[in-house]
Amino acid sequence: MDIQYKNDILETIIDSAYEWIVVVDTYGEIVYMNKNYCQFLEIDRNDAIGKHVTEVIENSRMHIVATSGKEEIADLQYIKGNYMIANRIPIFSEGKLIGALGTVIFRDTKEWNKMNSHIKSLMPKLQTYLQDWDENSGAKYTLQDIKSVSQPITDLKEKVKNIASGDISVLIRGESGTGKELFAHSIHQLSARSHQPFIKVNCGAIPEHLLESELFGYEEGAFTGAKKGGKKGKFLLAHGGTIFLDEIGDMPLNMQVKLLRVLQEKEVEPVGSVKPLAVNVRVIAATNRPLEKMIEEKRFREDLFYRINVITLKIPPLRDRPEDIIHLTDYFLDKISMRAGKRITMIDEEVRNVFYQYNWPGNLRELENVIEAAVHLAEGDRITLRALPDSLTGDPKILIGQLSLKEILEETEKRIIVTTLEQVNQDKQKAAKALGISKSSMYEKIKKYALE
């Protein structure tokens, strides 16, 4: 039996296996994936080979096993809406670790339920627990959730892969809506702490007088209204895992001092406690504020800045990566159309040109909101300029080059009439008077623009 013949038989057996199978090298890159797994993930095998496993399989730990050499048996893994049971086995050759083999034994919890009535009775409770843990203590996003075709974001994703395995602090900087939280989740997912809690704290959303007890917790009887038995703070909840301090530039100075002590001493002191508690967390912080300027103005501590700014990830705004605008537009359109139950198949070229010219101060978040509004306002199966919100087309300059002068004037006139009618509760006579035109002219324009 020649080698090729043996290989063909072996590959046929593996491809037909009930289990889903994936093999990665020590870099975490996929070197083999069987046909059943590829079909489930809806990916072509040739596209999967060579990619980092986290870009193909959500919540994967294959890359960790491929470097640690420690097997993980019967581990629950959440893939495409289901909890599945995965085995991860390190592969050795002549005593040297060369990669890892992963198999998914049960395709979803329904198949697991059929196998054991006792487990079946426990599954609802288990799933409720896992869902609660995921919502409150788990990272939800991976690098594959960061949709981009631009080189700067591609470089950032590579940087994340390089720094994730360490325990060093990371500061993520970028304007509002650029996706800072997605990068924070991705770092945690790629780290050795990925099976431990991921706790997010929005430093700007918690009232100043509650921030200390939220971060560090409190003892029973620490203050009026304190819970019986006290409360664990976010740092203790994140013990062993990662704490994400979002909007850290909004943290008041007195709390910055206490946070610095926690980072230096690696211990927290709950409100009302007489002794500190050791804590082991990795800190990822994010901000859209100019921290260097705030340091000069004595609004942010310089020593805290250097403590959190060991590695910096600077996410460029959407306007600086125009190639991502159309890519994200199509991605959001598909996602939102499906969710809204509408079949939108086309975006007018004039709309795409407006998107390119617009400044996007709200970045990806604003683009997604604009697409969502346009999907609901669209007439038929295409998005036209009329479906865009006023924030994009309210400035006539944006329409120059997209529409003729007559069309720009008509679009502007229509918006003025709509706004005036809203201000006078749709009273056409009052609107006509406010605009200095006759009542008959008002009715003609309402009819012309189909405002009734």
Side-chain angles (χ1 to χ4, degrees):
M1 209 182 278
D2 63 37
I3 294 175
Q4 182 60 47
Y5 185 67
K6 289 179 180 178
N7 286 344
D8 289 343
I9 291 175
L10 182 60
E11 185 160 348
T12 300
I13 293 171
I14 294 173
D15 270 344
S16 303
Y18 179 75
E19 294 89 354
W20 297 334
I21 297 170
V22 63
V23 179
V24 302
D25 60 20
T26 52
Y27 297 102
E29 294 178 352
I30 295 172
V31 296
Y32 180 81
M33 180 178 283
N34 75 339
K35 183 174 67 176
N36 282 341
Y37 211 165
C38 290
Q39 287 175 344
F40 172 72
L41 295 173
E42 297 178 324
I43 187 171
D44 185 271
R45 180 152 46 193
N46 293 329
D47 292 335
I49 302 300
K51 284 189 176 179
H52 196 274
V53 66
T54 56
E55 295 183 50
V56 178
I57 305 171
E58 61 184 306
N59 302 314
S60 177
R61 287 178 52 82
M62 289 290 295
H63 56 295
I64 295 172
V65 173
T67 54
S68 70
K70 297 178 181 178
E71 68 177 25
E72 297 179 355
I73 303 297
D75 183 34
L76 276 176
Q77 183 174 343
Y78 191 72
I79 309 176
K80 293 187 73 173
N82 284 298
Y83 287 99
M84 306 183 187
I85 301 178
N87 293 327
R88 308 179 188 98
I89 312 293
I91 302 173
F92 292 90
S93 177
E94 298 180 347
K96 181 182 177 183
L97 181 63
I98 61 170
L101 164 71
T103 63
V104 175
I105 299 176
F106 302 106
R107 302 196 180 190
D108 57 30
T109 50
K110 290 179 183 176
E111 293 179 17
W112 188 12
N113 287 341
K114 292 176 185 176
M115 297 193 64
N116 189 299
S117 59
H118 176 62
I119 292 177
K120 187 174 181 179
S121 69
L122 293 177
M123 276 305 297
K125 291 182 181 178
L126 178 60
Q127 286 182 315
T128 300
Y129 168 77
L130 288 168
Q131 183 177 357
D132 182 67
W133 185 89
D134 185 58
E135 289 175 356
N136 295 290
S137 304
K140 296 181 290 186
Y141 306 110
T142 65
L143 283 180
Q144 67 190 88
D145 292 305
I146 301 171
K147 308 298 180 183
S148 172
V149 292
S150 68
Q151 193 59 47
I153 299 299
T154 300
D155 292 343
L156 277 176
K157 290 166 82 168
E158 286 301 315
K159 190 173 182 180
V160 165
K161 292 176 188 177
N162 292 333
I163 66 172
S165 59
D167 266 348
I168 51 179
S169 299
V170 180
L171 178 62
I172 305 173
R173 309 189 72 166
E175 295 178 5
S176 177
T178 49
K180 297 187 290 295
E181 185 172 347
L182 270 66
F183 277 94
H185 283 238
S186 300
I187 293 169
H188 175 77
Q189 294 277 34
L190 285 170
S191 74
R193 296 174 178 261
S194 61
H195 261 32
Q196 299 299 324
F198 176 88
I199 302 295
K200 176 187 173 183
V201 182
N202 190 325
C203 302
I206 302 172
E208 185 173 345
H209 67 284
L210 296 178
L211 192 54
E212 182 176 5
S213 61
E214 279 293 313
L215 285 175
F216 310 135
Y218 57 78
E219 296 290 312
E220 182 177 340
F223 50 81
T224 303
K227 281 184 183 178
K228 186 177 180 180
K231 177 185 175 182
K232 275 189 174 183
K234 301 294 188 185
F235 268 87
L236 285 175
L237 289 173
H239 182 65
T242 304
I243 191 164
F244 175 42
L245 301 175
D246 198 11
E247 305 300 348
I248 195 169
D250 295 333
M251 181 177 283
L253 275 170
N254 66 312
M255 281 305 303
Q256 291 179 31
V257 176
K258 294 178 180 180
L259 173 61
L260 180 64
R261 182 182 179 279
V262 170
L263 300 183
Q264 289 174 335
E265 305 298 329
K266 301 189 186 309
E267 57 185 27
V268 298
E269 193 168 311
V271 178
S273 176
V274 294
K275 64 175 184 177
L277 302 171
V279 66
N280 170 23
V281 297
R282 181 185 196 171
V283 175
I284 301 175
T287 185
N288 60 3
R289 306 286 295 276
L291 296 185
E292 292 84 355
K293 185 178 180 182
M294 292 175 69
I295 291 170
E296 292 176 7
E297 297 170 350
K298 308 297 182 186
R299 293 188 292 129
F300 198 85
R301 291 185 63 94
E302 186 173 14
D303 45 8
L304 176 60
F305 174 75
Y306 288 116
R307 176 67 63 171
I308 63 174
N309 191 36
V310 180
I311 293 286
T312 302
L313 296 181
K314 188 166 178 59
I315 307 175
L318 190 55
R319 61 181 170 275
D320 289 348
R321 42 189 172 108
E323 62 271 40
D324 274 344
I325 292 175
I326 221 63
H327 177 73
L328 288 165
T329 296
D330 293 336
Y331 168 72
F332 289 141
L333 182 63
D334 289 342
K335 184 177 83 168
I336 294 165
S337 296
M338 186 176 297
R339 190 171 66 208
K342 295 188 73 173
R343 189 172 179 273
I344 307 294
T345 59
M346 191 178 300
I347 298 179
D348 281 1
E349 195 62 31
E350 293 89 345
V351 173
R352 294 185 185 273
N353 289 335
V354 167
F355 284 179
Y356 275 126
Q357 293 186 40
Y358 186 59
N359 201 40
W360 298 110
N363 292 288
L364 281 70
R365 190 181 297 123
E366 183 181 11
L367 176 58
E368 184 171 11
N369 290 340
V370 165
I371 297 297
E372 184 156 22
V375 165
H376 287 91
L377 291 171
E379 299 174 1
D381 62 352
R382 63 193 298 152
I383 291 178
T384 65
L385 284 174
R386 294 186 186 280
L388 298 183
D390 292 351
S391 57
L392 264 73
T393 58
D395 183 355
K397 292 194 298 294
I398 292 179
L399 300 176
I400 296 173
Q402 318 309 319
L403 302 175
S404 67
L405 176 59
K406 180 183 177 184
E407 289 171 326
I408 292 173
L409 291 173
E410 287 179 343
E411 187 67 28
T412 305
E413 183 179 57
K414 177 188 171 184
R415 293 186 184 284
I416 292 171
I417 291 171
V418 168
T419 303
T420 305
L421 285 168
E422 287 173 352
Q423 290 175 350
V424 296
N425 296 317
Q426 305 303 316
D427 188 316
K428 300 177 184 62
Q429 191 166 348
K430 285 185 179 179
K433 186 177 180 181
L435 294 173
I437 60 177
S438 67
K439 187 177 178 182
S440 60
S441 293
M442 175 59 72
Y443 276 102
E444 286 174 8
K445 294 181 186 300
I446 288 172
K447 183 179 180 181
K448 175 182 178 182
Y449 299 124
L451 298 179
E452 278 190 327

